Amino acid sequence: RKAITTLQSASRLYGNTVNAQQVLELSGAVPAEMIQRLLAACRTGNFDKCQLEVRALVMEGYPALQILGQTLTVVLNSTDMNDEQKAHIATRFAEADKCLADGCDELLQLLNCASLTMCALTNVHQKKIW
């Protein structure tokens, strides 16, 4: 049902000829290039670069849950990360999902997830401080 509504909206907005890029744009999906740029920034080990990419995603208006979901899909399908790295990232993303459901700030949750992803990908261990 949602797919049909999206296609109808795309047809009304773009006319009779609708391509895949237009449907993705209308659906609110984050472009794959932006997710790849975020992960590339995390691999550098430079938090400032991660922060720039997170802020760019937020400024584009993408919801945090959409960003987290798509990033997690890329992480889990990645062949250049080991299972331990994937587990650390997935656990933090699950915690962020709960925090977002409780009303926490989207930017802070995304920055926290980016920070942990950066640490996991660069093999820097973070201590949890409560």
Side-chain angles (χ1 to χ4, degrees):
R1 184 171 181 94
K2 185 177 179 182
I4 291 171
T5 303
T6 302
L7 284 174
Q8 287 173 337
S9 297
S11 176
R12 274 187 250 129
L13 185 62
Y14 298 111
N16 289 335
T17 306
V18 177
N19 63 37
Q21 183 62 32
Q22 292 168 330
V23 172
L24 282 175
E25 182 180 316
L26 190 63
S27 70
V30 181
E33 307 85 50
M34 293 186 86
I35 299 295
Q36 290 301 329
R37 281 201 317 260
L38 174 61
L39 289 173
C42 290
R43 283 185 180 94
T44 67
N46 183 337
F47 183 72
D48 290 336
K49 289 182 181 180
C50 294
Q51 185 177 13
L52 285 174
E53 292 301 328
V54 167
R55 288 185 183 280
L57 287 164
V58 171
M59 293 300 288
E60 286 290 326
Y62 295 109
L65 287 176
Q66 185 72 31
I67 297 166
L68 291 176
Q70 285 185 241
T71 305
L72 186 59
T73 299
V74 172
V75 165
L76 294 177
N77 292 323
S78 176
T79 57
D80 62 344
M81 294 180 209
N82 63 42
D83 289 342
E84 184 179 359
Q85 290 171 319
K86 291 178 183 181
H88 284 298
I89 294 168
T91 300
R92 179 59 200 117
F93 279 31
E95 291 169 356
D97 185 17
K98 167 71 168 90
C99 290
L100 289 168
D102 290 344
C104 291
D105 184 73
E106 288 190 356
L107 178 61
L108 293 178
Q109 292 304 312
L110 289 171
L111 289 172
N112 193 348
C113 287
S115 171
L116 186 126
T117 300
M118 181 187 73
C119 290
L121 295 178
T122 58
N123 294 318
V124 174
H125 300 289
Q126 273 186 340
K127 289 184 179 179
K128 249 189 181 172
I129 300 172
W130 299 101

